[in-house]
Amino acid sequence: MSNTKKVLILGGGYAGVKAGKTLHKIFKQNEAVEITLIDKLPYHTLMTELHEVAGHRTEPDSIRIDLRAIFSGRKVNIVTDEVEKIDFEQKKVSTTRKVFDFDYLIIAFGSSTNSFGIPGIETYAYTLWSYDDAMKIRHQVEKMFQLAAIEDDEETRRQMLTFAVVGGGFTGVEMAGELGEAKKHLSEKYGINQDEVTIYNIEATSRILNTLEDDRQVKKVERRFKRLGVTLLKDAAIVNVMPDKFELKDGRVIACNTLIWGAGIKVNNFVGSLGLKAGRAGRVDVNEYMQTAEYANVFVAGDNTHYEDADGLLPQIVEAAEQSGHTAAENIANLINEKPLQPHKQVYHGFMVSVGSRYCVSDNNGLKLSGFFSMLVKHLVNFYYLFTVSGVAQLFEYWRHEFFHIKNNRSFLGGHFSKASPNFWLVPLRMFLGFMWVIEGVNKINEGWLVSAKMIASDAVSQATEQVAEGATYAEPLLKEVPGIVQWMIDKLIAPHAVVFQTMMVFAEIAFGLMLIVGLFTFISAIATTGMTVAITLTGMSDASILWYFFGGIAMIAGAGSTFGCDYYVLPPLKRGWKRTAIAKKSYLYFH
Ligand SMILES: Cc1cc2nc3c(=O)[nH]c(=O)nc-3n(C[C@H](O)[C@H](O)[C@H](O)COP(=O)(O)OP(=O)(O)OC[C@H]3O[C@@H](n4cnc5c(N)ncnc54)[C@H](O)[C@@H]3O)c2cc1C
């Protein structure tokens, strides 16, 4: 019988991914441990950004990260299949196609929406709890604008253009904010009068955003809603939902074809059916090690966990999911390594809630922000998360989706970064810049740079300045005084080997110039020549004309060689080959 310990992680959400990363870190050198993560989807969903896709802000791909890419080159096998059954006694997990044995199990299947038995919710309401949900809402919203554009009857049109988001928690508020923003450009696109569009955020209690302690922050959100044209209904419990209307507790009936339910969650339906001891909303009871009451080898993490300690009930948020995933994984490792189990610690850094793309309120460890800086913090937190999950590759994807490819200026930086012009406008400049670098190099050869010291004198600037004062026709150096450290490097390191450095410089100028002309590895040659202009300027050897080389180089950095250049042919196969290497997989150092 094999001695291999099999660890199964069920769910590739925040908790499951964190558990996989922790286990990989501990067991990467241990052949006797096998780690497998099973999710019905091939990707990790960025749940916290679902509203952005549903509300037409970012493109669908922005909220999916390939699980195989996350764990590529790592000791975690990915299985894409739906789990249908768990036999805890026999230690077997059945998916639709296969049965997996396990020694240790982490269940991290998240939550399902809770309709609280309100009639019509399950049948007619849209939910926002998965990528598919976000896409359904996205299509439904656009479809309503399309249909309204050809509807002659005003009452029917207004009904089509009424969108109700139920729930004054983070999900509901963020979704309503996105729709408030989307209505402007969707109305323009379909020729709709914006006054006919109604967006509700409906909350059963008298206050939205109960997790935010400060009433002033809640007021700010309410003011932002007003600016976006979102109508907030408080103390307004929904009692019935029909295909074309819904009814409130006070008897009001509102005609509406699109009701988005974001008012409650409960344990994932499948987890709820497992028969494990459950606490509030069916979440599975665990001890301080994230172990189930029934089985010492079965752990639960993330939203489907019911755990309470002196710091309170484990919240259903990303930080809690990640931390509990880590605790579960660490304690499985402790069991395998026969070490004492470590209790879970709850440490949270606060909350952020965005209302559209340009406004956010946040409370991070008592630092209460709103507006631009709060939005900045939200993006920085996302940067950090994505970097830890999938390195610079994912970070770049995020920038692309949130800033460089954003439509309708829906970013807190506006559309400044998304205004792209085709690369072919850069082709003449690229060739001219390359040509000028080649000329520079050739001129230096003619001036004898390969045979005797030319550029290095103890004080290049003062020499040039003196020569200018004496009436020589030298242009004045851009930098009046060489920084001390640079002067020291010139005197001690470069001057003794002047011809060697000059030769390197001449060949670099010619080589990078030629690369720019033919558009080969333009990114590298652009960075190198831009760096050279800085170095030359710092040594006091250039006049102001060097500035155009500098700014020209910057303009070439982002893909100028991909049009009418060798990069068009050379880079794609190189990128594909690089992505397959172990080092790229491990470091995530690649672009998609
Ligand atoms: C719109 C929205 C906005 C949010 N905003 C925030 C926020 O700003 N900040 C914050 O901290 N939290 C936020 N949350 C909450 C946060 O997303 C959750 O707390 C978090 O996703 C929980 O992580 P998890 O790993 O437990 O579950 P999930 O992330 O839900 O992952 C569960 C995984 O299990 C898989 N799965 C489920 N059933 C099966 C099955 N039978 N077989 C195979 N695979 C299965 C799913 O495909 C999924 O990948 C938000 C949630 C939503 C919906």
Side-chain angles (χ1 to χ4, degrees):
M1 204 170 136
S2 153
N3 280 333
T4 305
K5 297 283 178 218
K6 293 184 173 169
V7 184
L8 276 191
I9 303 167
L10 305 187
Y14 295 90
V17 165
K18 183 68 187 181
K21 292 234 160 195
T22 302
L23 285 166
H24 161 76
K25 219 170 170 181
I26 299 173
F27 292 119
K28 61 181 169 218
Q29 311 289 3
N30 190 336
E31 292 300 317
V33 176
E34 191 182 292
I35 308 159
T36 304
L37 186 152
I38 307 178
D39 198 295
K40 61 185 172 190
L41 303 168
Y43 48 82
H44 166 64
T45 308
L46 297 175
M47 304 286 278
T48 59
E49 318 304 317
L50 286 179
H51 55 279
E52 295 186 14
V53 168
H56 289 250
R57 187 193 331 169
T58 50
E59 292 304 310
D61 266 356
S62 63
I63 54 170
R64 299 191 294 184
I65 311 178
D66 186 353
L67 282 167
R68 283 185 171 75
I70 293 176
F71 289 105
S72 178
R74 283 157 181 81
K75 202 189 159 59
V76 179
N77 307 310
I78 299 297
V79 172
T80 306
D81 205 354
E82 182 158 0
V83 173
E84 291 187 330
K85 195 174 155 216
I86 303 177
D87 185 335
F88 295 109
E89 303 298 337
Q90 297 300 316
K91 299 185 185 168
K92 287 184 191 306
V93 165
S94 308
T95 66
T96 61
R97 307 187 69 83
K98 213 172 161 183
V99 177
F100 295 83
D101 295 323
F102 68 85
D103 295 294
Y104 299 95
L105 186 68
I106 299 177
I107 303 172
F109 274 165
S111 315
S112 305
T113 46
N114 193 348
S115 65
F116 302 110
I118 298 168
I121 300 273
E122 306 263 348
T123 320
Y124 303 117
Y126 291 82
T127 52
L128 185 59
W129 210 257
S130 67
Y131 171 81
D132 283 347
D133 286 352
M135 290 306 289
K136 277 186 199 147
I137 294 173
R138 185 183 174 100
H139 291 139
Q140 166 69 7
V141 170
E142 183 141 25
K143 192 170 117 196
M144 287 300 105
F145 276 84
Q146 282 165 353
L147 293 179
I150 51 165
E151 176 58 56
D152 294 329
D153 178 55
E154 188 186 328
E155 202 177 317
T156 314
R157 214 166 48 233
R158 282 184 182 274
Q159 175 181 319
M160 288 170 170
L161 295 171
T162 298
F163 303 93
V165 184
V166 186
F170 285 174
T171 310
V173 167
E174 292 194 323
M175 186 65 239
E178 291 301 326
L179 290 179
E181 223 177 55
K183 82 169 178 188
K184 182 167 174 269
H185 67 87
L186 284 172
S187 298
E188 276 166 15
K189 184 173 173 185
Y190 291 103
I192 300 275
N193 175 2
Q194 272 194 65
D195 295 340
E196 292 187 356
V197 183
T198 310
I199 294 156
Y200 290 111
N201 182 220
I202 302 175
E203 166 58 39
T205 69
S206 59
R207 189 187 194 270
I208 56 167
L209 297 172
N210 280 325
T211 10
L212 287 180
E213 285 167 7
D214 193 335
D215 285 338
R216 286 170 304 180
Q217 286 202 299
V218 175
K219 282 274 163 276
K220 284 180 183 174
V221 170
E222 292 184 1
R223 277 202 295 275
R224 191 68 186 184
F225 268 172
K226 270 205 183 108
R227 272 188 68 179
L228 291 174
V230 175
T231 307
L232 178 60
L233 302 181
K234 291 192 270 191
D235 289 314
I238 301 265
V239 291
N240 196 4
V241 178
M242 289 150 273
D244 52 358
K245 56 181 172 288
F246 61 89
E247 191 184 343
L248 297 172
K249 183 181 64 177
D250 60 12
R252 266 181 293 173
V253 174
I254 297 177
C256 159
N257 289 359
T258 314
L259 182 136
I260 300 166
W261 182 252
I265 50 173
K266 60 179 167 67
V267 74
N268 168 283
N269 292 333
F270 171 75
V271 178
S273 71
L274 291 174
L276 295 167
K277 188 164 172 273
R280 229 160 83 175
R283 293 157 70 185
V284 178
D285 267 339
V286 291
N287 62 16
E288 72 266 45
Y289 311 120
M290 298 295 122
Q291 245 170 346
T292 52
E294 295 88 343
Y295 306 98
N297 64 334
V298 177
F299 293 71
V300 185
D303 271 11
N304 53 196
T305 312
H306 186 257
Y307 169 72
E308 200 161 6
D309 61 18
D311 295 318
L313 183 68
L314 191 97
Q316 287 165 302
I317 59 171
V318 168
E319 271 197 306
E322 284 204 281
Q323 289 169 14
S324 56
H326 176 77
T327 303
E330 194 185 31
N331 281 327
I332 286 178
N334 287 334
L335 285 179
I336 293 173
N337 293 328
E338 297 178 357
K339 288 185 182 168
L341 300 189
Q342 295 301 316
H344 185 65
K345 286 192 194 74
Q346 301 198 61
V347 187
Y348 307 119
H349 295 92
F351 300 97
M352 296 160 294
V353 55
S354 61
V355 191
S357 61
R358 290 164 177 247
Y359 195 81
C360 188
V361 294
S362 54
D363 183 347
N364 298 100
N365 290 336
L367 177 67
K368 296 184 176 69
L369 296 172
S370 59
F372 182 90
F373 288 105
S374 178
M375 205 66 190
L376 180 66
V377 171
K378 189 168 200 267
H379 283 300
L380 290 176
V381 169
N382 286 345
F383 288 175
Y384 175 74
Y385 176 71
L386 294 171
F387 185 75
T388 56
V389 167
S390 216
V392 281
Q394 202 53 45
L395 205 53
F396 187 72
E397 280 298 288
Y398 185 76
W399 291 341
R400 214 160 60 82
H401 286 294
E402 294 281 339
F403 307 114
F404 297 140
H405 289 185
I406 205 79
K407 289 193 189 127
N408 304 303
N409 300 345
R410 288 179 69 184
S411 142
F412 82 129
L413 300 174
H416 291 289
F417 289 93
S418 62
K419 304 288 181 239
S421 61
N423 278 341
F424 64 78
W425 294 118
L426 289 173
V427 174
L429 178 62
R430 190 193 80 215
M431 290 185 169
F432 182 64
L433 184 66
F435 182 70
M436 292 305 287
W437 275 112
V438 173
I439 296 278
E440 278 286 324
V442 171
N443 282 346
K444 286 190 174 91
I445 293 176
N446 292 336
E447 287 164 15
W449 278 51
L450 301 188
V451 285
S452 61
K454 295 280 176 193
M455 67 171 191
I456 310 301
S458 170
D459 189 340
V461 174
S462 56
Q463 276 189 15
T465 313
E466 278 163 23
Q467 284 161 341
V468 170
E470 285 162 12
T473 53
Y474 290 97
E476 211 172 316
L478 183 63
L479 204 68
K480 298 281 178 290
E481 201 169 313
V482 177
I485 176 84
V486 179
Q487 190 62 60
W488 179 86
M489 284 168 68
I490 292 172
D491 290 342
K492 302 285 177 212
L493 305 176
I494 302 176
H497 316 285
V499 175
V500 175
F501 276 96
Q502 285 176 193
T503 306
M504 281 176 6
M505 187 168 162
V506 166
F507 281 109
E509 287 181 356
I510 294 174
F512 289 130
L514 289 173
M515 283 162 73
L516 284 169
I517 292 172
V518 298
L520 179 65
F521 302 130
T522 313
F523 173 74
I524 296 172
S525 39
I527 295 216
T529 51
T530 307
M532 273 157 56
T533 61
V534 174
I536 294 168
T537 305
L538 285 175
T539 57
M541 290 191 303
S542 63
D543 57 38
S545 68
I546 198 159
L547 288 176
W548 91 260
Y549 285 86
F550 176 77
F551 291 113
I554 288 180
M556 297 301 122
I557 287 176
S562 62
T563 306
F564 297 113
C566 297
D567 286 348
Y568 176 83
Y569 303 98
V570 173
L571 289 190
L574 277 182
K575 276 188 192 170
R576 282 196 296 274
W578 167 247
K579 258 179 99 169
R580 283 197 288 268
T581 63
I583 183 165
K585 286 176 182 173
K586 281 198 179 126
S587 63
Y588 301 119
L589 272 177
Y590 53 82
F591 297 129
H592 290 283

